[in-house]
Amino acid sequence: MRSASFVAVLVATVAAFGGYALLLPVLPLWATAGGAGPGLAGSVTGVFMAATVVSQLGVPALLRAVGHRASLALGALTLGAPAALLPLSPSPALLVPVAVVRGIGFGVLTVTGAALVSDLVPPAIRGRATAVYGLAIGLPQLVLLTGGVWAWSRLGPTPVLLLGAALPLLALPAMALLPRRVLPDGATEHADRGSGPVPAGRALRVRTVAGPWAVMLVCAASAGGVITVLPLVGAGGTATAALSLFALTLAQLVGRIVSGELGDRLRLAGRITRPALALTALGAATAAWGLLVAGAPVVVIGAGLVGLGFGAVQNDTLVTLFDRAGPGRSGTASSVWNTAYDAGTGIGATALAAVLGGLGAPSSFAVAALACVVTLGATWRRRPPPPPDERTALSRT
């Protein structure tokens, strides 16, 4: 975790995700400046996430074809460079195509980064490594999701849009320090010509990934829905919503770190998901109770519990998928996990916003809590990896 390659991944991740986080909340504002209504303005984000999920499905093949370094650089370039066109016009005719291209780049970045982190470290510290990687993803979002809106109100659109374009491009020098690809045994290949693509291996079976994928999908939908509904609630004021979102985002980072530490040091990886999912449900129910009876402080506490549980679920499901996939298939495992995360976020935002419109915010949070409780049945116990001799025999069959 102190190697130049691992540090380079973290630096590149902070820069690239900084550009993503900076523009995510302000692009709908830019669309409304061009005359778009709320629905059309929101569709800019929807198109971006749809392109992200679709592109994530093809990243394992891209990794086998061109390697980790080129894939990561392609993702950063595609995420950043098109955003330089955004100051030209707030018209959806420009914003939507740019969102599609940037979404493709973001999908490549998310899958490649997680796969690379898994391949750069031995399995014994994979939980901590993915937690630190999650910290590199989360810190820019913690600062820039709200900082972008603040800068927009004081500096105007053009500086913010151009900075959002520049940040992913600033990740490219760090990516130059990465190996061309990381081989299944953890060895790196810096040369332009090497031993060829990482072998694809057998496709992951549905039953191998179904449990972690379902848990990640539902938990992301619940947390994503809570994040969407909080600013729309109105009860308790804007300050309560802002504080709740901050508490959720910060607790999410803490959850990832704690999950990684417990998973590696106490060998609990794969067994953290069940209590973390229950904690997410408790947080959503607490937020609902705060809106109905207890008041704003309890809403903030509930949001923090949602973030803590969600962060732990993120790390534990990702480590479990890497473990089940085995050597040489980290790209496929990362693709499975990222599609669950991003699709779940979009589904939750849409579904809970619909419940908000029909039944109110407490009902939205209650639905999120119930979804997590129902999904507890999909949690699992992680089986310990086979001993080295057995693992070698299995790899030859």
Side-chain angles (χ1 to χ4, degrees):
M1 288 173 63
R2 294 187 178 93
S3 69
S5 293
F6 191 84
V7 173
V9 172
L10 297 182
V11 172
T13 298
V14 169
F17 274 81
Y20 157 77
L22 183 64
L23 295 186
L24 186 66
V26 302
L27 285 182
L29 299 176
W30 189 226
T32 57
L40 186 56
S43 70
V44 174
T45 301
V47 167
F48 176 89
M49 296 309 302
T52 294
V53 172
V54 172
S55 67
Q56 286 167 342
L57 300 174
V59 176
L62 181 67
L63 288 173
R64 292 192 294 269
V66 303
H68 296 78
R69 185 177 63 197
S71 297
L72 208 60
L74 178 64
L77 191 63
T78 310
L79 177 65
L85 299 174
L86 293 172
L88 297 178
S89 171
S91 170
L94 174 65
L95 298 186
V96 170
V98 168
V100 171
V101 178
R102 292 184 68 244
I104 293 172
F106 188 63
V108 174
L109 267 173
T110 53
V111 174
T112 304
L116 185 54
V117 166
S118 172
D119 288 341
L120 282 172
V121 301
I125 61 168
R126 187 176 285 154
R128 279 174 282 172
T130 55
V132 173
Y133 173 70
L135 194 64
I137 290 174
L139 284 176
Q141 297 183 63
L142 183 66
V143 175
L144 294 177
L145 281 175
T146 54
V149 177
W150 177 87
W152 184 275
S153 65
R154 285 159 177 77
L155 303 177
T158 299
V160 176
L161 295 174
L162 291 179
L163 181 59
L167 282 173
L169 302 182
L170 293 177
L172 293 174
M175 293 175 184
L177 301 176
L178 297 172
R180 178 173 180 262
R181 67 173 78 250
V182 180
L183 303 178
D185 60 359
T188 58
E189 177 193 325
H190 283 273
D192 288 335
R193 297 178 180 270
S195 58
V198 174
R202 294 179 181 177
L204 291 177
R205 295 181 178 179
V206 172
R207 68 180 182 181
T208 301
V209 302
W213 184 87
V215 170
M216 190 64 239
L217 179 78
V218 172
C219 197
S222 299
V226 169
I227 292 170
T228 300
V229 168
L230 278 171
L232 303 176
V233 169
T238 304
T240 298
L243 188 58
S244 297
L245 290 174
F246 182 82
L248 190 153
T249 307
L250 181 61
Q252 183 176 329
L253 300 182
V254 174
R256 289 200 71 154
I257 293 296
V258 171
S259 175
E261 291 290 330
L262 293 178
D264 286 350
R265 295 186 185 277
L266 301 182
R267 298 184 179 180
L268 294 176
R271 290 181 287 177
I272 299 171
T273 296
R274 184 184 293 269
L277 192 60
L279 185 62
T280 306
L282 175 63
T286 301
W289 178 51
L291 288 176
L292 284 172
V293 178
V298 175
V299 175
V300 176
I301 292 171
L305 293 176
V306 168
L308 193 63
F310 183 40
V313 167
Q314 288 176 50
N315 212 71
D316 206 44
T317 51
L318 181 58
V319 170
T320 301
L321 282 169
F322 284 140
D323 180 54
R324 291 186 174 191
R329 295 191 292 184
S330 59
T332 302
S334 177
S335 175
V336 169
W337 185 87
N338 276 284
T339 53
Y341 187 116
D342 293 324
T345 301
I347 291 170
T350 302
L352 294 195
V355 176
L356 169 68
L359 300 175
S363 296
S364 295
F365 295 156
V367 169
L370 181 61
C372 290
V373 171
V374 170
T375 313
L376 282 170
T379 55
W380 64 94
R381 282 185 171 271
R382 183 190 185 201
R383 291 171 295 179
D389 293 342
E390 182 182 348
R391 189 182 301 129
T392 302
L394 288 173
S395 67
R396 292 174 180 171
T397 59

